[in-house]
Amino acid sequence: MAELFVLVHAPGLGPASWAPVAGELAGAGHEVTVPSLTGFTDAGPPYTRRLVRLACAQIQESAGDRVVLVLHSGAGVFAPHLAEAITARGVAVVFADAALPLPEGPATVVDSAFLPFLRDMASGGMVPPWPQWWPDDVMSGLFPDEVTRRSVAREAHAMPLAFFEEVLPQVPGSWRSCHPAYLRFSEGYQEPAREAASRGWPVRELPGEHLHMLVRPADVATAIIGLAAETAT
């Protein structure tokens, strides 16, 4: 089965966060694309609909019999809507240290428990770029070197607080036919990894930090390929 790997970056970052893994996958002979979500908030709400349209417009669906969506961090909550918008013959989803969509009921883009943190740092209705959310010593430990850190930070922009507060559309019924898996990097994502395991999804762990795909791209690429194969069985 020919597969197209689609690496979706966190809304607060950019394609550079997936570039090393994309290189590993391409080097191994796989079709891969990293859609850019840059600018999806520029025209205001509804943000989810625009993010999905922007990402899907960059996916060459004809390149494979199956699309493997790989979603990092906050991109995870958009998985059902991205999967529904893709018309490939089959869609698999790998959550990479990512938030899980709620199976039912209304939910905001960011967990409601995290919204006060964002509201406290917002100014003029805008939340600072993601690399500014945390102390410098915390951020420096996420990157393999300063060059990579600068490359990723250049793509991070301030975002409207309203984006994080937006209520997600209802999860489409087609989500039940998708084939999810979970890849955990950091301690902070133990709970979604446990939830994935409880749902019977394939789960792998590569202990590291939240941007482990920048630190060990070859290992992450291998894990993604393995999980994609597991979801096909």
Side-chain angles (χ1 to χ4, degrees), residues 50-127:
R50 189 173 297 108
L51 181 152
V52 170
R53 278 203 309 265
L54 180 60
C56 289
Q58 300 169 67
I59 298 172
Q60 300 298 319
E61 297 169 11
S62 61
D65 299 314
R66 187 171 79 140
V67 170
V68 180
L69 284 171
V70 186
L71 305 130
H72 178 241
S73 193
V77 298
F78 305 109
H81 313 292
L82 287 165
E84 182 187 41
I86 294 170
T87 57
R89 195 173 307 168
V91 179
V93 178
V94 177
F95 293 87
D97 228 39
L100 297 180
L102 291 179
E104 57 186 30
T108 49
V109 167
V110 168
D111 188 282
S112 59
F114 193 65
L115 284 174
F117 173 78
L118 298 178
R119 289 168 178 153
D120 285 346
M121 76 168 72
S123 177
M126 299 296 289
V127 177

Side-chain angles (χ1 to χ4, degrees), residues 1-216:
M1 178 184 295
E3 292 178 321
L4 171 65
F5 288 87
V6 179
L7 311 181
V8 183
H9 63 80
L13 294 177
S17 60
W18 273 122
V21 172
E24 294 288 342
L25 289 170
H30 296 280
E31 293 288 336
V32 58
T33 187
V34 186
S36 173
L37 304 180
T38 301
F40 81 92
T41 63
D42 290 351
Y47 299 107
T48 299
R49 189 182 308 162
R50 189 173 297 108
L51 181 152
V52 170
R53 278 203 309 265
L54 180 60
C56 289
Q58 300 169 67
I59 298 172
Q60 300 298 319
E61 297 169 11
S62 61
D65 299 314
R66 187 171 79 140
V67 170
V68 180
L69 284 171
V70 186
L71 305 130
H72 178 241
S73 193
V77 298
F78 305 109
H81 313 292
L82 287 165
E84 182 187 41
I86 294 170
T87 57
R89 195 173 307 168
V91 179
V93 178
V94 177
F95 293 87
D97 228 39
L100 297 180
L102 291 179
E104 57 186 30
T108 49
V109 167
V110 168
D111 188 282
S112 59
F114 193 65
L115 284 174
F117 173 78
L118 298 178
R119 289 168 178 153
D120 285 346
M121 76 168 72
S123 177
M126 299 296 289
V127 177
W130 182 81
Q132 298 178 25
W133 293 9
W134 319 107
D136 189 68
D137 59 334
V138 172
M139 290 302 301
S140 62
L142 301 182
F143 299 92
D145 51 59
E146 190 59 28
V147 172
T148 303
R149 179 177 178 176
R150 287 197 298 268
S151 175
V152 171
R154 275 196 299 268
E155 295 181 339
H157 302 286
M159 302 181 71
L161 176 62
F163 161 65
F164 301 101
E165 296 174 327
E166 181 171 89
V167 176
L168 291 161
Q170 183 176 353
V171 172
S174 59
W175 177 239
R176 300 187 190 94
S177 63
C178 285
H179 305 283
Y182 202 95
L183 175 59
R184 184 184 74 84
F185 303 146
S186 64
E187 293 293 323
Y189 284 80
Q190 280 189 333
E191 184 53 39
R194 282 195 290 264
E195 175 63 23
S198 74
R199 298 181 191 180
W201 301 358
V203 175
R204 294 194 184 191
E205 300 192 351
L206 293 176
E209 300 297 339
H210 190 46
L211 300 181
H212 197 55
M213 66 277 200
L214 294 170
V215 179
R216 301 294 294 273

